[in-house]
Amino acid sequence: MHTIALVGNPNSGKTTLFNALTGSNQHVGNWPGVTVEKKEGSLKHKGAFYNVVDLPGTYSLGAYSEDELVARDFVVQGQPDVVVNVVDATNIERNLYLTTQLIEMGANIIIALNMMDEASTKQIDISVDSLSRALGVPVIPTVAARKKGITELLDQIEKSAENSSSPSEISYGENLNRHIKNLTDLLDSEEYDYPVKWIAIKALEGDLEISKLISGNVKAKAYIESISSEDTDMELDIIDSRYSYINNIVKNSVKRPEKEIVTATDKIDKILTSRVFGLPIFGVIMYLIFQLTFVIGEDLLGGYVGDFVEWIGEGFETILVSLSAPDWLISFVAEGFIGGVGAVLEFVPLIMVLYFFLAILEDTGYMARAAYIMDGIMRAVGLHGKTFISMIVGFGCNVPGIMSTRTLENKRDRMIAILINPFMSCGARLPIYLVFIAAFFPDNGGLVLFIIYALGIAMALLMGKIFSKTLFKGESSHFIMELPPYRLPQAASVLRDMWEKVWDFVKRAGTVIFAVVSLLWVMSVLPMGVEPYSQASILGRIGQLIAPIFKPAGFGTWQASVSLFAGIAAKEAVVAILGMVYAGVSEGTELITAIQASFTTLSAVSFLIMTLLYTPCAAVIATVKRETNSWKWAAFMAVYPFVLAYILSVAVYQVGSLLGF
Ligand SMILES: Nc1nc2c(ncn2[C@@H]2O[C@H](COP(=O)(O)OP(=O)(O)OP(=O)(O)O)[C@@H](O)[C@H]2O)c(=O)[nH]1
Ligand SMILES: [Mg+2]
């Protein structure tokens, strides 16, 4: 089976093409750095199967950041049979830079010239034939978002898998050409996994990894040393040669309009990214998102799902009773399953609305602007502007949030970005807020939500500042990020993103949450003969053991304590466990009423602060371990947010009490 790799600059449409080719549902977004892992899929064309690999975007093969390394390593070591180089037709010159490096590598390239629709809007006239002839590489025009050019691309993949292309030579000037030839002759092609000519070029460019690779070859090493002393600008000369190769090709095959067309994007950006209005507009957009999430989710959809869950529960109970099922089973279904898992599922509509808006934010291209607007503030607290993107991704879930920090080149920037991400309130924590909002702030839902999320951001910035002054001193690297053109969000893509996350939420309710609820349910009815859900149960006793810790924060009940404890498995468990233990106390008690009875407004606020900031869920801690490759940081991630949350909620409760709230 042949392996096809999709390689190209960030945001050029690789994943869109990957989805079109393989029928996969990988995440697509209109900002650079969406894909940070390699993803595989397969396709069948004319009876033959192909393995297709989608890679993170990269500007060159001399990669720096984690995500770019993933792409580079696969191209260099994964030995794909065909490399589909996705090139953004509106930005040919810059995109072809990567192409020159693929040519140097000796990769078997096909160029998918994507975004042809936008090129024609910008009146960029591209002669595909002459481009292809000049490069010596097949070029297939595509509009991946509209699945145009896919069949042609497939046919070309079939051809290229059998016969590799023969790209035109890149000339590096007389001197360098000679050096490259001499050095190539000194290297034994049997010895390396990579083409020796490529190794020679890379070594002359001063690539550290490659230099290390050939350090055993005494003659080659001596040769490089001798010429680097007489020619110190080799790296620049090589880069220049690549660009003049590109310019020569583009000169004859691409015609741009005399006067650059002023696009809608330019006009919109005048306002949205302006110094004066940028930040306030961003604030308003976020506020509207939370307000709408609350209003649409709660009013239009919320009630129905709640009624539905209740209806299912009652149906189950009736059936079980009529089958004269044992009491424990009926209790498990009523309190554990419906009270616990059901309480979580009721929030599906709200989650859906929030994810819908986040997907729109991503697909329009506003996300990159948000990072741009926030760059000044981020810099002031010692963070890199791109950190903000990982923070917004964290609003959905902190796991991808932390993964997306891979695009940060600087190790220090990346570590800080990882450590502050969990303060970004994820979708799983939303049910907790909503339950407490319904109990104590029913009239100001959107505002309270906005404040909670803003508090999370403020805490992240504060901790970022502290980390950058203590654990990770140093300068953050400069903010370089392309602002993509605004694009109308595609309904299919928005719905897919939303659906994937909602489905994840539902799946977690059915697996992790169900498991936690089942376990804790057993603990709440044992030992035998004890009053279920009472302090005397195992669960009650454990809760009582923890509860005194939380007394100073105002919620020192055993129920609140066990729910927080369960929340470390997954945040939805907080509501699930509260739902279960309170449902068990007196049949038919609404969760909201029970919460009103056992919290005051002040202790509710303190509890919300706790749940916003305390120890992230197990999946996040595992991700920190994987991404930092260190148990130490994983443990740190488990402990420091807890300490912080504790101090803050105690402070709020104590000060609030003093002030008479
Ligand atoms: N107009 C237009 N938009 C496209 C086309 N192909 C992709 N897009 C859009 O371009 C944006 C980026 O697409 P992705 O597929 O996520 O790009 P990518 O190359 O995988 O990006 P990274 O993973 O960040 O490197 C999305 O908003 C797509 O909807 C196209 O042919 N025409
Ligand atoms: Mg991608």
Side-chain angles (χ1 to χ4, degrees):
M1 192 154 75
H2 295 291
T3 299
I4 317 293
L6 295 175
V7 181
N9 284 12
N11 213 40
S12 57
K14 299 174 294 298
T15 306
T16 311
L17 195 58
F18 176 79
N19 287 343
L21 286 171
T22 62
S24 313
N25 279 319
Q26 288 303 328
H27 192 84
V28 163
N30 187 20
W31 46 283
V34 179
T35 311
V36 292
E37 283 179 296
K38 123 183 163 224
K39 292 275 153 101
E40 304 199 20
S42 64
L43 72 84
K44 190 179 163 200
H45 181 61
K46 298 197 181 149
F49 284 95
Y50 300 86
N51 180 25
V52 188
V53 181
D54 181 27
L55 294 166
T58 180
Y59 293 104
S60 81
L61 291 180
Y64 308 100
S65 60
E66 261 337 282
D67 60 328
E68 288 180 307
L69 278 175
V70 172
R72 173 212 162 124
D73 286 351
F74 189 79
V75 177
V76 176
Q77 291 158 2
Q79 298 182 327
D81 300 296
V82 178
V83 167
V84 173
N85 178 199
V86 183
V87 165
D88 176 353
T90 63
N91 249 321
I92 293 196
E93 291 87 348
R94 205 206 46 219
N95 276 244
L96 284 183
Y97 187 73
L98 178 64
T99 313
T100 59
Q101 297 195 315
L102 291 169
I103 292 176
E104 288 168 353
M105 271 258 339
N108 181 15
I109 312 170
I110 302 173
I111 289 183
L113 194 57
N114 196 32
M115 315 260 180
M116 285 303 274
D117 53 334
E118 289 186 356
S120 78
T121 314
K122 286 188 162 180
Q123 300 180 11
I124 303 171
D125 188 8
I126 305 169
S127 159
V128 173
D129 282 341
S130 84
L131 190 64
S132 168
R133 242 177 292 121
L135 284 162
V137 166
V139 177
I140 312 292
T142 58
V143 182
R146 255 166 249 121
K147 300 201 170 142
K148 278 196 200 153
I150 304 296
T151 325
E152 292 80 354
L153 183 61
L154 283 169
D155 289 341
Q156 185 57 52
I157 287 175
E158 185 197 3
K159 275 186 227 152
S160 294
E162 300 309 327
N163 307 296
S164 40
S165 59
S166 46
S168 54
E169 289 273 326
I170 302 170
S171 170
Y172 305 89
E174 219 173 286
N175 258 341
L176 271 171
N177 280 346
R178 196 181 66 240
H179 289 322
I180 291 170
K181 167 134 200 345
N182 290 345
L183 196 52
T184 308
D185 290 343
L186 288 174
L187 299 168
D188 177 7
S189 61
E190 295 291 299
E191 202 178 316
Y192 305 100
D193 294 340
Y194 319 129
V196 277
K197 184 175 172 195
W198 183 72
I199 295 181
I201 297 172
K202 280 277 147 197
L204 293 176
E205 246 189 302
D207 185 296
L208 289 178
E209 229 173 289
I210 294 296
S211 305
K212 226 188 285 164
L213 187 73
I214 61 169
S215 60
N217 188 324
V218 186
K219 277 189 195 159
K221 213 174 146 194
Y223 188 81
I224 296 171
E225 270 161 21
S226 76
I227 52 172
S228 5
S229 54
E230 68 187 63
D231 183 355
T232 46
D233 286 338
M234 273 188 305
E235 185 186 353
L236 284 179
D237 291 343
I238 293 177
I239 294 175
D240 274 352
S241 315
R242 290 184 187 132
Y243 277 114
S244 52
Y245 169 85
I246 293 170
N247 284 337
N248 263 327
I249 288 173
V250 169
K251 201 171 58 194
N252 296 320
S253 40
V254 179
K255 277 201 187 55
R256 289 178 176 275
E258 297 272 307
K259 241 176 74 195
E260 189 88 30
I261 308 275
V262 180
T263 56
T265 294
D266 302 329
K267 289 181 207 151
I268 298 172
D269 266 348
K270 274 233 165 68
I271 302 168
L272 287 194
T273 63
S274 84
R275 262 170 191 282
V276 187
F277 301 114
L279 205 56
I281 292 178
F282 175 61
V284 169
I285 290 179
M286 291 314 277
Y287 177 75
L288 283 180
I289 288 184
F290 292 119
Q291 196 68 42
L292 286 173
T293 298
F294 199 73
V295 172
I296 300 179
E298 181 86 351
D299 291 358
L300 293 182
L301 306 155
Y304 295 115
V305 179
D307 293 346
F308 181 66
V309 170
E310 215 164 280
W311 180 73
I312 298 248
E314 277 161 16
F316 254 121
E317 249 188 282
T318 319
I319 295 172
L320 287 173
V321 171
S322 71
L323 292 174
S324 40
D327 281 351
W328 66 262
L329 184 61
I330 296 175
S331 151
F332 174 71
V333 168
E335 286 109 32
F337 193 68
I338 303 301
V341 177
V344 174
L345 287 179
E346 276 183 37
F347 293 99
V348 165
L350 280 116
I351 299 279
M352 218 155 96
V353 178
L354 177 67
Y355 285 144
F356 176 78
F357 287 118
L358 285 180
I360 290 198
L361 219 55
E362 275 195 45
D363 281 17
T364 48
Y366 186 71
M367 187 97 130
R369 270 79 187 178
Y372 175 80
I373 294 163
M374 288 294 288
D375 186 49
I377 295 179
M378 302 300 277
R379 190 164 296 279
V381 297
L383 297 176
H384 190 282
K386 264 194 218 165
T387 309
F388 199 68
I389 293 220
S390 65
M391 289 163 71
I392 300 186
V393 175
F395 276 154
C397 170
N398 300 132
V399 172
I402 288 172
M403 301 276 290
S404 73
T405 62
R406 286 185 177 191
T407 58
L408 291 162
E409 279 169 27
N410 185 321
K411 193 116 197 153
R412 162 198 178 273
D413 292 341
R414 182 159 186 237
M415 275 309 303
I416 302 180
I418 290 176
L419 291 179
I420 63 175
N421 198 275
F423 295 132
M424 307 315 291
S425 188
C426 63
R429 272 171 269 186
L430 196 55
I432 312 174
Y433 311 144
L434 297 170
V435 165
F436 279 81
I437 284 173
F440 292 101
F441 312 99
D443 301 330
N444 299 310
L447 181 65
V448 173
L449 264 191
F450 179 73
I451 294 174
I452 292 174
Y453 280 77
L455 178 67
I457 297 185
M459 201 41 114
L461 295 181
L462 177 70
M463 288 318 292
K465 178 87 186 169
I466 292 177
F467 285 139
S468 71
K469 288 270 177 241
T470 54
L471 291 176
F472 304 100
K473 287 196 193 128
E475 284 292 301
S476 72
S477 51
H478 280 286
F479 181 72
I480 313 167
M481 179 157 168
E482 262 184 283
L483 297 185
Y486 288 105
R487 300 199 161 107
L488 271 185
Q490 308 228 307
S493 154
V494 169
L495 292 179
R496 182 182 57 214
D497 287 357
M498 179 185 86
W499 173 244
E500 294 244 307
K501 288 186 184 146
V502 169
W503 181 231
D504 252 10
F505 184 85
V506 173
K507 261 195 308 208
R508 267 208 315 282
T511 52
V512 185
I513 305 303
F514 180 69
V516 171
V517 164
S518 304
L519 183 71
L520 268 59
W521 178 82
V522 172
M523 288 162 70
S524 69
V525 295
L526 289 180
M528 291 293 242
V530 84
E531 168 98 7
Y533 311 103
S534 70
Q535 292 190 3
S537 68
I538 297 183
L539 191 66
R541 280 187 236 165
I542 295 179
Q544 274 174 293
L545 223 61
I546 316 175
I549 305 176
F550 296 117
K551 197 133 224 150
F555 44 85
T557 61
W558 72 264
Q559 292 96 332
S561 306
V562 290
S563 76
L564 283 174
F565 190 63
I568 295 175
K571 296 291 164 190
E572 297 95 330
V574 174
V575 162
I577 295 306
L578 287 178
M580 178 186 88
V581 291
Y582 288 130
V585 179
S586 59
E587 189 68 24
T589 309
E590 287 280 331
L591 178 55
I592 312 280
T593 334
I595 282 177
Q596 279 165 339
S598 38
F599 286 82
T600 63
T601 308
L602 182 60
S603 70
V605 169
S606 154
F607 188 75
L608 285 178
I609 293 175
M610 186 76 191
T611 48
L612 166 69
L613 301 174
Y614 86 120
T615 307
C617 74
V620 167
I621 295 174
T623 307
V624 172
K625 156 74 183 65
R626 205 180 54 219
E627 295 295 306
T628 60
N629 209 357
S630 139
W631 282 112
K632 192 186 78 181
W633 287 121
F636 185 68
M637 190 82 260
V639 176
Y640 103 85
F642 182 85
V643 175
L644 201 68
Y646 184 76
I647 293 174
L648 210 67
S649 45
V650 169
V652 164
Y653 185 71
Q654 293 301 332
V655 173
S657 305
L658 280 180
L659 295 178
F661 283 107

